[in-house]
Structures are given as structure tokens and as C-alpha cells.
């Protein structure tokens, strides 16, 4: 297990009670703060939006959704529009939303548990997601971290996310739940 270069036994829990802690200079560990993570999130949002549109547009064309939407005219009775769209539209919408949800989960979990330890947005800013010891996280932990963001998002005014700018190790609530850190390289 690789330890971060700034490992401090007073800051991190010991990896094992039997193993003596390895102590490094504290100054080299840099935690990613709130604003860097916001920029990484914006980059990831653009990447995922482009990927979603690349999948959605062909889907809309192949299912005839664009033709149906093109046949709706201004001033038409909304009940008639509902009849034209019918259940097929809502089934298609459910499918698209489900695929977007699944895609976001796989994007974050696979990328953050990969050798990069980062999504494209984090990689662009030299950030990486680690466990509390600086080691690469597993796909299961990355999955837990991703879904813990749902809990973080439930806190009003984004306070759960803003904790990344307020806590000592710059952890948002979902990082604390998943026992993760977001470190800045260089």
C-alpha cells in the first residue's frame, strides 16, 4: 500500500496495529480544496453532457422521437400531444434517464478506481482520489463515494459539498462517508 508523502500518524489512522507507522514530511501532502473540485466537476459535467448527447441524439432519431416532436404544432391541445407521445415517450424518457444515471455512476467509479485515480476533470487539474492512506481506492469504495454524493446533496445550500473548503483535510461529506481524500499532485 502506497502512503502519501506527507503521512503523519497523528493525522491518519495506523494501517495496522502491528506495523509501525512510516513518517514522512508533512509539507508535501496537498489536499484539493472546494474551488478546484468545483472546476473539476464542471469539466466532468461537460464531458458527461457531450457523451449523453452523443447517445441521445441517435436514440431519438432511431425511435422516431424527433419525427413525433416535429409533428407537434404551436396552439395544439396539450391532451392531443400527450396522446401522440403516449407511453412510448415516457418509456423512452425513463430509459434515457436510467442510462444517464448508470453512465454517471460507471464514469465516476471506474475512473476514480483506475490507475489515474481521477475523472477527466480531476486529471486535468492534477487531482486524485485516494483512501485515507493515499492508496488507490477500489471500485466498490468509488461506488460508495459516488452514491454518498446523493446524501451530500440532501443537505440544504450545498453545505455537504462546501465542507471540502472548511475541513482540515478538505473532505466533503461523501469523502468522509467513504473514507476518501482528494489530493492535489504538484
Amino acid at each position: 500500500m502506497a502512503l502519501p508523502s506527507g503521512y503523519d500518524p497523528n493525522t491518519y489512522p495506523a494501517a495496522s496495529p502491528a506495523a509501525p507507522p512510516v513518517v514522512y514530511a508533512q509539507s508535501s501532502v496537498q489536499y484539493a480544496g472546494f474551488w478546484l473540485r468545483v472546476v473539476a466537476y464542471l469539466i466532468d459535467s461537460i464531458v458527461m453532457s457531450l457523451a449523453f448527447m452523443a447517445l441521445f441524439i441517435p436514440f431519438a432519431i432511431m425511435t422516431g422521437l424527433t419525427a413525433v416532436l416535429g409533428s407537434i404544432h404551436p396552439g395544439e391541445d396539450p391532451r392531443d400531444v400527450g396522446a401522440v407521445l403516449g407511453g412510448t415517450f415516457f418509456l423512452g424518457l425513463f430509459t434515457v434517464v436510467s442510462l444517464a444515471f448508470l453512465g454517471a455512476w460507471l464514469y465516476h467509479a471506474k475512473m476514480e478506481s483506475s490507475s489515474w485515480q481521477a475523472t477527466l476533470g480531476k486529471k486535468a487539474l492534477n487531482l486524485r482520489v485516494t483512501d485515507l492512506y493515499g492508496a488507490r481506492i477500489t471500485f466498490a469504495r468509488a461506488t460508495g463515494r459516488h452514491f454518498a454524493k446523493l446524501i451530500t446533496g440532501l443537505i440544504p445550500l450545498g453545505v455537504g459539498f462546501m465542507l471540502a473548503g472548511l475541513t482540515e483535510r478538505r473532505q466533503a461529506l461523501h469523502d468522509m462517508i467513504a473514507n476518501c481524500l482528494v489530493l492535489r499532485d504538484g
Side-chain angles (χ1 to χ4, degrees):
M1 173 173 2
L3 297 173
S5 57
Y7 177 79
D8 177 9
N10 298 319
T11 305
Y12 298 99
S16 156
V22 178
V23 180
Y24 296 93
Q26 179 69 21
S27 62
S28 60
V29 171
Q30 294 181 22
Y31 302 107
F34 175 76
W35 290 111
L36 274 175
R37 293 171 70 164
V38 167
V39 173
Y41 171 79
L42 292 174
I43 293 169
D44 287 331
S45 295
I46 291 168
V47 167
M48 288 191 304
S49 294
L50 291 173
F52 178 76
M53 290 309 291
L55 296 173
F56 178 73
I57 291 171
F59 174 80
I61 292 169
M62 288 187 301
T63 60
L65 180 60
T66 53
V68 170
L69 292 175
S71 68
I72 299 171
H73 303 291
E76 214 171 323
D77 187 358
R79 290 174 289 194
D80 293 339
V81 172
V84 169
L85 294 177
T88 305
F89 172 76
F90 293 106
L91 179 60
L93 182 63
F94 174 77
T95 303
V96 167
V97 169
S98 297
L99 289 174
F101 186 77
L102 180 70
W105 161 53
L106 290 174
Y107 171 75
H108 284 96
K110 292 291 273 178
M111 295 291 288
E112 291 173 354
S113 64
S114 73
S115 60
W116 276 14
Q117 297 178 260
T119 59
L120 293 172
K122 287 181 183 76
K123 185 73 171 169
L125 298 174
N126 292 322
L127 307 179
R128 61 188 169 96
V129 179
T130 71
D131 66 7
L132 295 179
Y133 307 105
R136 188 167 120 184
I137 61 174
T138 64
F139 179 77
R141 184 175 295 210
T143 293
R145 182 177 183 273
H146 175 75
F147 288 111
K149 290 177 189 176
L150 297 173
I151 296 168
T152 303
L154 292 175
I155 299 176
L157 305 175
V159 171
F161 293 104
M162 284 190 260
L163 288 173
L166 302 173
T167 59
E168 183 180 345
R169 294 188 283 176
R170 304 296 183 242
Q171 290 175 292
L173 181 60
H174 55 275
D175 296 317
M176 292 177 204
I177 292 170
N179 290 321
C180 290
L181 298 170
V182 181
L183 301 178
R184 184 175 179 194
D185 293 329

